[in-house]
Amino acid sequence: MDTDLITLTGLRVHGRHGVFDFERDAGQDFIVDVSLRTSTALAAATDDLKHTVDYGALADSLAEIVAGDPVDLIETLAERLAAACLALNGVDSVQVTVHKPQAPINQRFADVAVTIERSAP
């Protein structure tokens, strides 16, 4: 079976994740990138959205998770996002990157991120 890649990058959502109380109180923006491995052949052949991943609905689902219940670690957040992606019909594997550009780090930095890769069972 052919596998293709559907990618959504730069999804910016305000969330309240972090170890420190001030992170939970004020919150901050998180940026999410996902790449889904799936076959798009049937969708391309039929020109029908029902045979592929609706990336608008995907963005809404991921945003709801980021804006939802807070966690201490972006690793945990990435796992939640990956699980949501793998629950989609036809998704074989996913790569998720969660960026935390406003992380409480005492040094000057551009970004901190965690990237995970997960496959459907």
Side-chain angles (χ1 to χ4, degrees), residues 69-121:
D69 293 335
V71 297
D72 287 346
L73 304 177
I74 59 175
E75 290 86 344
T76 305
L77 181 58
E79 285 288 345
R80 289 183 178 180
L81 296 167
C85 292
L86 290 173
L88 298 171
N89 190 32
V91 175
D92 299 320
S93 65
V94 61
Q95 182 181 68
V96 175
T97 301
V98 176
H99 302 264
K100 189 174 180 180
Q102 298 161 335
I105 296 173
N106 291 330
Q107 305 303 317
R108 290 177 52 164
F109 70 101
D111 189 24
V112 63
V114 170
T115 299
I116 65 170
E117 295 182 25
R118 300 293 181 263
S119 297

Side-chain angles (χ1 to χ4, degrees), residues 1 3 11 16 24 28 41-44 48 53-54 62 67 73 76 78 97 99 106 120:
M1 176 171 94
T3 58
L11 179 66
R16 299 183 179 277
R24 298 279 179 109
Q28 59 190 284
L42 184 57
D48 192 335
V53 173
D54 178 340
L62 299 178
L73 304 177
T76 305
T97 301
H99 302 264
N106 291 330

